[in-house]
Amino acid sequence: MMNTDINLGIDLGGTKIEIAALDFSTNNIIYRHRIPSPQNVYKDTLQAICNLIFETEKKLGLECQVGIGIPGSISSISGKVRNANSIWLNDKPLLNDISQILGKSIKIDNDANCFAISEAKDGAGENYSSVFGVILGTGVGSGIVINQQIIKGSNGLAGEWGHNPLPWKTSSERETRDCWCGKTDCIEKYISGPSLEKEYLEMFGEKKPLKMIVGNSLKGDENCSLLMDRFISRVARCFASVINFLDPDAIIIGGGLSNIERLYTDVPKIWSKWIFSGRSETKILKAMHGDSSGVRGAAWLNKN
Ligand SMILES: [Zn+2]
């Protein structure tokens, strides 16, 4: 019999697949396990996911509801995966195939939506009715949660904010940047980790990991500070445009770049320049669950 107190969540990433069992009586993870992601072959990925679920249910001695977070989304029209950077998943009926192998229906959602629902349910956003969850990392993704429900949108695209153009471009941002999505000047091309490292290399002819750029900027390095000032200005403009159309109670940041403390102190100091009313009470908060947000959010997909 299906239990309702413990759900399984799976975070399907490009390099690893993680499973966790979330116990809703305490909101604690009571079991977790990760394996390397099979590469390039859809059938191998499918089998690896199903094996993880079978093994976990056996270990727990329970039959559980299953939610999966993926990099990309399921098209509401075709039912197939689209926009996944693990490209061998694209155009495959992942939801149907897993449900068939397991013999029960499951849920799949975008990993940024999983992040947002995890933080809205029992993380940094639990006291706010509208939450904009942003992952700043190798890519830029986001999810919108209103009254603890993910807003999917009629095309399943709600929160694909990272592929809007960077707003209020400055004189240092006049060049055109091509994005993998086929559009140009996407926000992701200006505020993700790889895009900042590329910009530093182009500006100063030197390759530096972002961690070092952030660290050196705090020690007064002029080149690193210049790039970080640009980053803070861009994030302020991007968040101001979010406030102008959604006006969320809280913006919660996760992903590798969420450790940059200036996001929380300096962005709210300057964003009023672009906010329609000139001021905002929206909070910017750091994610509470860190790397666990993916599996936690996936487990929450089957819980109201
Ligand atoms: Zn794009």
Side-chain angles (χ1 to χ4, degrees):
M1 206 175 72
M2 186 79 75
N3 95 89
T4 51
D5 298 328
I6 296 167
N7 285 358
L8 301 184
I10 290 176
D11 184 9
L12 176 57
T15 55
K16 51 111 188 137
I17 305 175
E18 182 164 23
I19 191 166
L22 186 58
D23 182 345
F24 294 109
S25 64
T26 57
N27 284 356
N28 283 330
I29 289 175
I30 55 164
Y31 173 84
R32 68 195 303 166
H33 183 58
R34 59 166 66 178
I35 59 167
S37 291
Q39 301 293 309
N40 302 319
V41 182
Y42 172 67
K43 257 196 161 166
D44 293 351
T45 301
L46 188 63
Q47 206 52 59
I49 293 170
C50 292
N51 286 347
L52 266 181
I53 296 166
F54 286 135
E55 282 165 19
T56 303
E57 288 187 327
K58 202 169 156 194
K59 274 188 186 134
L60 296 173
L62 293 169
E63 195 188 348
C64 301
Q65 299 194 87
V66 178
I68 304 178
I70 64 167
S73 59
I74 303 287
S75 162
S76 49
I77 300 160
S78 68
K80 293 175 181 173
V81 177
R82 65 181 172 189
N83 298 346
N85 53 5
S86 300
I87 50 172
W88 59 94
L89 300 175
N90 285 326
D91 294 320
K92 296 291 193 296
L94 186 67
L95 180 65
N96 250 352
D97 286 347
I98 294 178
S99 298
Q100 211 149 54
I101 295 173
L102 298 181
K104 62 184 168 193
S105 65
I106 62 153
K107 286 195 173 157
I108 293 183
D109 211 326
N110 174 256
D111 49 11
N113 284 353
C114 290
F115 164 74
I117 191 71
S118 163
E119 290 295 328
K121 285 284 190 184
D122 69 336
E126 71 175 338
N127 295 321
Y128 300 97
S129 61
S130 58
V131 167
F132 188 74
V134 184
I135 299 178
L136 294 180
T138 53
V140 173
S142 67
I144 300 165
V145 177
I146 309 277
N147 295 331
Q148 308 225 318
Q149 298 290 322
I150 296 171
I151 305 298
K152 286 173 176 289
S154 63
N155 303 288
L157 292 174
E160 289 295 357
W161 156 86
H163 296 276
N164 283 319
L166 180 72
W168 298 286
K169 279 178 125 192
T170 65
S171 56
S172 66
E173 294 157 352
R174 288 293 169 226
E175 88 285 9
T176 296
R177 297 189 185 184
D178 295 326
C179 184
W180 60 269
C181 76
K183 310 283 194 294
T184 54
D185 291 342
C186 293
I187 287 172
E188 180 169 302
K189 298 304 289 182
Y190 286 90
I191 63 172
S192 66
S195 69
L196 290 167
E197 288 175 350
K198 186 165 176 268
E199 187 168 345
Y200 189 89
L201 176 65
E202 285 167 2
M203 284 167 75
F204 307 112
E206 205 186 336
K207 217 173 175 174
K208 266 205 174 90
L210 184 64
K211 237 185 179 163
M212 195 185 281
I213 298 172
V214 175
N216 290 358
S217 75
L218 296 174
K219 291 180 205 148
D221 179 297
E222 272 184 35
N223 293 352
C224 296
S225 297
L226 176 63
L227 185 63
M228 291 317 294
D229 288 347
R230 285 187 184 180
F231 169 70
I232 292 300
S233 161
R234 289 169 190 167
V235 172
R237 282 177 270 149
C238 293
F239 285 178
S241 76
V242 169
I243 291 170
N244 287 344
F245 77 77
L246 184 66
D247 201 6
D249 296 327
I251 295 173
I252 299 171
I253 309 175
L257 278 64
S258 65
N259 292 319
I260 299 173
E261 289 303 322
R262 287 186 63 191
L263 286 169
Y264 312 97
T265 55
D266 292 359
V267 168
K269 281 185 194 155
I270 58 170
W271 66 8
S272 61
K273 274 187 244 176
W274 301 284
I275 290 171
F276 185 55
S277 62
R279 57 170 295 166
S280 168
E281 300 299 321
T282 298
K283 302 278 182 293
I284 305 186
L285 306 166
K286 191 175 182 174
M288 188 187 280
H289 294 302
D291 290 343
S292 298
S293 282
V295 283
R296 293 182 72 93
W300 275 111
L301 293 178
N302 285 294
K303 189 88 179 168
N304 282 320

